[in-house]
Amino acid sequence: MKTSAVQQVRSFNRIVAEGIGAIDDRFLGRGRPMGESRLLWEIGVGGADLRTLRARLNLDSGYLSRTLASLEQQGLVVVRTHPDDRRVRRASLTDAGADERSELEKLSDAVACRLLEPLSDEQRRRLVAAMSEVERLLEASMVRFAIEDPNSKDARWCFGQYFAELNTRFDSGFDPSLSLSADARDLTAPEGALIVARLHENPVGCVALKFHGESPSELKRMWVSQSARGFGLGRRLIEEAEKHARQIGVRVIRLETNRTLLEAIGLYRRSGYVEVEAFNSEPYAHHWFEKKLT
């Protein structure tokens, strides 16, 4: 990592913190630190489960508990056990909390206007466009990858989205029962592995591997949510799959794909996959690729 890049990120963080008043323990003049105000906003008018808040804001349990306790003491929040599941605790705004959240919305709008007002129209356009790009890139940096049980709810959801997209894009539609097998057993160790990408704990992509001992492994179920495209997530999923494959001694990865998936074909080629002769009888395949791992 270049030192200049790290220093630029730190400089950017400092100027943003100063611009929005994050370094003041009386954020927006309301007598509380930014963390408490942000939590009020995230709880929202409909309330939120504590585990959802932890995941969404990447908070540890101790900090979340202390912050909620402070908001409860101020009469802005109540925390109750879910009536249908005592393991789940849910935070909700009181009437005073809802009023405070509305006030924070107005003050936050005022801060945004204060940042934009001194600038010319062209400068505002450039700043807003740059902020949009930075937001997308920061979200991309927050995506996390993990090995997943292919029978889990999130895994099944990813597969459902993947199949639905293929059915729309393939010239003859897509029927999973006609495709070569890649069921849950095939994608569970030691036969295989499923990697799921998550953003704020929500699944946004997946990729799978099928292992064949000393023979080449197969890359399967490569999918990225529409909401996460443009993050470079496809490339990162391939890299995660290759990293996992290397760790268990895989030397070669193969894959097949349909001619309509032009973006995927381009991605595979950029990732070092070379087109080879057909090595299986996949009915939906028009291109076969292979990559030797080093």
Side-chain angles (χ1 to χ4, degrees):
M1 187 74 66
K2 290 185 177 180
T3 302
S4 59
V6 173
Q7 292 303 317
Q8 179 59 64
V9 170
R10 293 184 59 186
S11 175
F12 177 82
N13 291 343
R14 289 194 297 271
I15 196 67
V16 169
E18 180 182 349
I20 66 174
I23 58 177
D24 191 340
D25 62 2
R26 301 174 63 84
F27 181 63
L28 296 177
R30 302 305 292 172
R32 67 181 62 84
M34 184 179 179
E36 292 185 4
S37 297
R38 176 65 190 277
L39 200 55
L40 283 177
W41 191 86
E42 290 290 347
I43 292 171
V45 294
D49 294 345
L50 267 58
R51 60 189 177 189
T52 300
L53 292 171
R54 282 197 301 270
R56 189 184 303 161
L57 297 175
N58 194 28
L59 300 175
D60 66 67
S61 298
Y63 177 83
L64 178 62
S65 296
R66 292 191 299 273
T67 305
L68 286 172
S70 176
L71 292 172
E72 284 188 289
Q73 290 175 359
Q74 297 171 53
L76 303 176
V77 168
V78 292
V79 179
R80 298 189 179 96
T81 301
H82 197 286
D84 298 327
D85 188 345
R86 297 191 62 80
R87 297 170 299 177
V88 177
R89 300 177 68 213
R90 188 170 182 82
S92 302
L93 300 181
T94 63
D95 289 343
D99 290 341
E100 180 64 15
R101 187 178 185 276
S102 295
E103 185 63 23
L104 288 170
E105 288 278 10
K106 296 175 185 176
L107 292 169
S108 295
D109 285 347
V111 168
C113 290
R114 188 173 72 239
L115 289 173
L116 294 169
E117 189 174 10
L119 305 178
S120 67
D121 288 344
E122 174 60 17
Q123 288 174 320
R124 291 172 190 167
R125 185 197 64 76
R126 288 168 53 200
L127 178 60
V128 170
M131 285 178 166
S132 177
E133 177 70 4
V134 168
E135 181 179 357
R136 292 280 294 173
L137 292 173
L138 286 176
E139 282 193 316
S141 75
M142 296 166 71
V143 173
R144 298 293 179 262
F145 304 87
I147 301 294
E148 181 88 8
D149 178 356
N151 284 310
S152 72
K153 179 181 177 181
D154 285 348
R156 293 196 303 272
W157 181 84
C158 286
F159 293 159
Q161 299 296 307
Y162 170 72
F163 294 152
E165 180 168 347
L166 296 189
N167 190 53
T168 299
R169 297 188 63 178
F170 285 6
D171 296 335
S172 58
F174 179 75
D175 182 349
S177 68
L178 301 179
S179 182
L180 293 181
S181 174
D183 60 22
R185 183 179 58 185
D186 296 325
L187 307 183
T188 304
E191 279 73 26
L194 171 68
I195 299 171
V196 172
R198 285 186 172 83
L199 177 61
H200 306 307
E201 293 302 302
N202 297 315
V204 292
C206 64
V207 68
L209 288 163
K210 286 177 64 176
F211 304 130
H212 301 290
E214 294 298 317
S215 299
S217 295
E218 293 179 78
L219 195 75
K220 308 290 287 186
R221 300 284 193 266
M222 174 73 178
W223 172 77
V224 175
S225 168
Q226 287 283 354
S227 65
R229 292 180 187 178
F231 283 180
L233 188 51
R235 171 187 56 79
R236 294 174 66 190
L237 280 166
I238 290 175
E239 290 173 353
E240 288 292 322
E242 292 175 354
K243 180 170 69 176
H244 183 70
R246 286 189 183 94
Q247 289 171 349
I248 64 171
V250 172
R251 297 184 178 87
V252 178
I253 293 181
R254 288 175 170 177
L255 62 92
E256 74 278 341
T257 191
N258 188 277
R259 63 190 170 202
T260 64
L261 303 180
L262 298 178
E263 309 95 323
I265 292 170
L267 173 62
Y268 297 140
R269 286 175 171 152
R270 291 194 300 274
S271 299
Y273 287 79
V274 178
E275 193 155 3
V276 296
E277 294 295 323
F279 49 76
N280 62 23
S281 57
E282 170 58 56
Y284 293 106
H286 301 100
H287 300 274
W288 288 259
F289 289 89
E290 180 179 284
K291 180 177 180 178
K292 293 180 172 62
L293 300 183
T294 57

